[in-house]
Amino acid sequence: MGTAMSGAASVAPQGFELRGWSEQRLALVEQALSRWVVADAPAGLGDAMRYAVLDGGKRLRPLLVLAAAEAVRGNEAAALRAACAVELIHAYSLVHDDMPCMDNDVLRRGKPTVHVKFGQAQALLAGDALQALAFELLAPEDEDGVSATVQAALCRLLARAAGHEGMAGGQAIDLASVGQQLDEPQLREMHRRKTGALLRGSVMMGAACGDIGTAARAALSRYGAALGLAFQVVDDILDVTADSATLGKTAGKDAAQDKPTYVSLLGLERSRALAAGLLDEALAALGESGLPDTRALHALAKMVVDRDN
Amino acid sequence: MGTAMSGAASVAPQGFELRGWSEQRLALVEQALSRWVVADAPAGLGDAMRYAVLDGGKRLRPLLVLAAAEAVRGNEAAALRAACAVELIHAYSLVHDDMPCMDNDVLRRGKPTVHVKFGQAQALLAGDALQALAFELLAPEDEDGVSATVQAALCRLLARAAGHEGMAGGQAIDLASVGQQLDEPQLREMHRRKTGALLRGSVMMGAACGDIGTAARAALSRYGAALGLAFQVVDDILDVTADSATLGKTAGKDAAQDKPTYVSLLGLERSRALAAGLLDEALAALGESGLPDTRALHALAKMVVDRDN
């Protein structure tokens, strides 16, 4: 499974099979999402919410939550709630991003986007309601065996990752950057917020489901930050190298929209080297965490960098 | 201060002056909002967020939070955070409501709406970021003297009030109801969610800042529900009876948009009687709460029904 992009640190963890591990967890996540994103929200709102969330996506963020939670032997009920909550935030951001006043996308994963199918007003509301539902999932009344301390920590981490310091702030930079020349630190800052914050947030939410020391937490934060940036660098590479069919979305879109990317800034080869370096950074951080079993986190980081879509 | 609309139960509480009480609390709320809604969110996002929140509105929801928190002798730091959080949710809902795909309003409180001033994409993001910030305020890291139990309870109450069971669900019904004949139960259900849930939620969030019994909590819930519906009935009355200058928004808009209202359904006199009855219900619930000092809640309910804008 080693590739030309990854160094010695990224040898696949022995005796660990990501596909089987993921399939088991994804079954739980899909079931939970289907239970929690209710169809009975009024006046078609529930249909739009379910359409936005169910049956789609790689579910990378939920898998990161669950992998981190397992690495810290965290509370399983809390981890499943956190996994679903972070996916709801991701899903709402796609619904709003696709709207005509933003990216004006009509297709996502080969299906009409939410505003095409349900109208712009319903899409706006569905996104808003999905964000609220994410926080509702994190703070259940019956507590589900999840302590108030963990509930509050999860709300804090998700709010920061989603808001102006994180995803929404990154999107604002993205809006302002079309046609602009960004340098590498500016591009990095945009992506740190826009996609990195929620990916790192997923790892930290998983970690918050257990009880670990400051050093392990800091190591997981470094892992999440490196993985988050690597994800975006690879996205930029795939936008240039993959075809639309493999990608499941329109390839070459960044260049067509005159958006700054790692490839436009660094070229393809240096972008690949950057991704490989970030993978090594992420895996080194896992080693420094002192946690006994980080195999799933290890395999997910490799998958992020080695993926072809 | 008694009016023709309110019965014996609504005599103004002795020795209590709402204006002075409100002014003191509003100063704290404005100061806290200005501190927490930061200008340094990137790429103009902070400016749009502050524009949406600061220097505007009656701040009824924050006052309800603070009045309920005082009635239960709740934690003051928690109450101030809850007061601001609920106002952020209200503010974000106005930003999104005003957008072209929803109500397409260009003026609010005599100023250009957020999307007119900052563009639709920034307005969408500002609303999204304000919702996230609301939850961030409720779960501070340093805890600010606020226990995790209170933090989690506040997140739960706000998420439910804002989401598909509450405000967003009510807006979906509202969208679907234009040009429709709703009967009174349907109209009540729409308003229970659309505006009632956040008003009742404000009361319950204030109550969650303290430690009270089930009966007192249930009484405050009845108070909040009655006040929430009364607010909307009075809104419908004022839309017909007030002029735009007094109202600070376009009068007669509901009828022009063919939206179902209490006045269109019941007529003016029966709507006034309904508002008076709901005020009596709210005040009776305060009496049943067993709480020693509910004067601010009492005065706020009267203000909601007696207001002329």
Side-chain angles (χ1 to χ4, degrees):
Chain A
M1 287 190 28
T3 73
M5 288 174 68
S6 43
S10 62
V11 169
Q14 286 197 328
F16 183 83
E17 213 266 298
L18 182 61
R19 182 186 297 255
W21 181 91
S22 295
E23 275 172 5
Q24 286 188 326
R25 273 86 193 155
L26 287 177
L28 293 174
V29 168
E30 296 302 327
Q31 199 179 41
L33 285 171
S34 186
R35 188 168 70 245
W36 283 327
V37 184
V38 294
D40 68 354
L45 180 63
D47 295 330
M49 292 167 73
R50 287 175 70 85
Y51 184 85
V53 172
L54 301 180
D55 186 32
K58 293 184 279 279
R59 311 295 196 204
L60 170 62
R61 292 156 193 81
L63 290 175
L64 284 170
V65 173
L66 297 178
E70 291 181 24
V72 305
R73 298 171 193 272
N75 178 298
E76 286 178 22
L80 186 59
R81 286 180 175 276
C84 292
V86 81
E87 189 68 8
L88 295 188
I89 294 289
H90 177 57
Y92 111 69
S93 79
L94 298 181
V95 174
H96 283 184
D97 264 3
D98 287 340
M99 287 181 66
C101 68
M102 299 281 284
D103 287 353
N104 197 19
D105 273 318
V106 296
L107 283 176
R108 178 170 292 278
R109 297 174 197 132
K111 294 192 306 180
T113 46
V114 176
H115 67 90
V116 169
K117 176 118 177 147
F118 296 90
Q120 288 189 53
Q122 192 75 284
L124 181 57
L125 288 179
D128 290 344
L130 287 170
Q131 179 164 203
L133 182 57
F135 291 98
E136 188 179 340
L137 287 191
L138 295 181
E141 189 150 30
D142 58 14
E143 308 224 347
D144 217 4
V146 184
S147 73
T149 305
V150 170
Q151 292 190 16
L154 291 174
C155 287
R156 174 183 317 135
L157 288 164
L158 187 62
R160 289 188 186 175
H164 63 95
E165 296 164 29
M167 187 178 74
Q171 285 171 310
I173 299 176
D174 193 23
L175 268 185
S177 75
V178 174
Q180 299 288 311
Q181 224 19 60
L182 298 190
D183 59 21
E184 205 274 336
Q186 290 170 325
L187 190 64
R188 183 179 283 245
E189 175 62 9
M190 174 174 95
H191 289 312
R192 185 186 67 76
R193 296 184 192 238
K194 190 181 167 212
T195 47
L198 200 59
L199 289 164
R200 180 182 158 280
S202 301
V203 175
M204 300 317 288
M205 287 173 75
C209 295
D211 193 17
I212 55 171
T214 312
R217 196 175 303 269
L220 288 179
S221 174
R222 290 197 300 279
Y223 164 85
L227 176 141
L229 190 57
F231 179 88
Q232 190 58 52
V233 175
V234 172
D235 242 34
D236 287 356
I237 294 171
L238 291 174
D239 189 66
V240 174
T241 61
D243 56 51
S244 300
T246 310
L247 217 48
K249 59 184 178 185
T250 314
K253 216 179 124 188
D254 296 333
Q257 294 184 344
D258 198 16
K259 285 196 175 186
T261 73
Y262 274 98
V263 177
S264 68
L265 195 71
L266 304 179
L268 206 49
E269 282 321 297
R270 283 178 61 207
S271 296
R272 283 188 169 129
L274 177 59
L278 288 165
L279 175 60
D280 287 343
E281 242 181 75
L283 300 184
L286 289 184
E288 291 152 17
S289 72
L291 296 168
D293 182 1
T294 57
R295 288 179 300 171
L297 289 170
H298 186 120
L300 285 169
K302 275 187 60 62
M303 186 266 280
V304 160
V305 172
D306 292 345
R307 72 201 157 104
D308 61 2
N309 67 35
Chain B
M1 283 188 38
T3 73
M5 288 175 68
S6 44
S10 62
V11 168
Q14 285 196 330
F16 184 83
E17 213 265 299
L18 182 62
R19 182 186 297 254
W21 181 91
S22 295
E23 276 172 5
Q24 286 188 327
R25 273 84 192 158
L26 287 178
L28 292 175
V29 167
E30 296 301 327
Q31 198 179 42
L33 285 172
S34 185
R35 189 168 68 243
W36 283 327
V37 185
V38 294
D40 68 354
L45 181 63
D47 294 331
M49 292 168 74
R50 287 175 71 84
Y51 185 85
V53 172
L54 301 180
D55 186 31
K58 291 185 280 279
R59 310 297 196 204
L60 170 62
R61 291 157 194 80
L63 291 175
L64 284 170
V65 173
L66 297 178
E70 290 180 24
V72 305
R73 298 170 194 272
N75 179 297
E76 286 178 20
L80 186 59
R81 286 179 175 277
C84 291
V86 82
E87 189 68 8
L88 295 188
I89 294 290
H90 177 57
Y92 111 69
S93 79
L94 298 181
V95 175
H96 283 183
D97 264 3
D98 287 340
M99 286 180 67
C101 68
M102 299 282 284
D103 287 353
N104 197 17
D105 272 318
V106 297
L107 284 175
R108 178 169 293 277
R109 297 176 198 132
K111 294 193 305 180
T113 46
V114 176
H115 67 90
V116 169
K117 177 117 176 147
F118 296 90
Q120 287 188 54
Q122 193 75 285
L124 181 57
L125 288 179
D128 290 344
L130 287 171
Q131 179 164 201
L133 183 56
F135 291 98
E136 188 178 339
L137 287 190
L138 295 181
E141 188 151 31
D142 58 13
E143 307 223 350
D144 217 5
V146 184
S147 73
T149 305
V150 170
Q151 291 189 17
L154 291 174
C155 286
R156 174 183 316 134
L157 288 163
L158 187 62
R160 289 188 185 174
H164 63 95
E165 296 164 30
M167 188 178 74
Q171 286 172 308
I173 300 176
D174 193 23
L175 268 185
S177 75
V178 174
Q180 300 289 309
Q181 234 1 73
L182 298 191
D183 60 20
E184 206 273 336
Q186 290 170 323
L187 190 63
R188 184 180 283 246
E189 175 62 10
M190 174 174 96
H191 289 311
R192 184 187 67 76
R193 295 184 192 238
K194 189 180 168 214
T195 47
L198 201 58
L199 289 164
R200 180 182 159 280
S202 301
V203 175
M204 301 317 287
M205 287 172 76
C209 296
D211 193 17
I212 55 171
T214 313
R217 197 176 302 269
L220 287 179
S221 175
R222 291 197 300 279
Y223 164 85
L227 175 141
L229 189 57
F231 179 88
Q232 189 58 53
V233 175
V234 172
D235 242 33
D236 286 357
I237 294 171
L238 291 174
D239 188 66
V240 174
T241 61
D243 56 51
S244 300
T246 310
L247 217 48
K249 60 184 177 184
T250 314
K253 218 179 123 187
D254 295 334
Q257 294 184 342
D258 198 15
K259 286 196 174 184
T261 73
Y262 275 99
V263 177
S264 68
L265 194 71
L266 304 179
L268 206 48
E269 281 320 300
R270 283 178 62 206
S271 297
R272 283 190 170 127
L274 176 60
L278 288 164
L279 176 59
D280 287 344
E281 243 182 72
L283 299 183
L286 289 184
E288 291 150 19
S289 72
L291 296 168
D293 183 1
T294 57
R295 288 179 301 170
L297 289 170
H298 186 120
L300 285 169
K302 276 187 60 63
M303 187 266 280
V304 160
V305 173
D306 292 345
R307 73 200 156 105
D308 62 1
N309 67 35

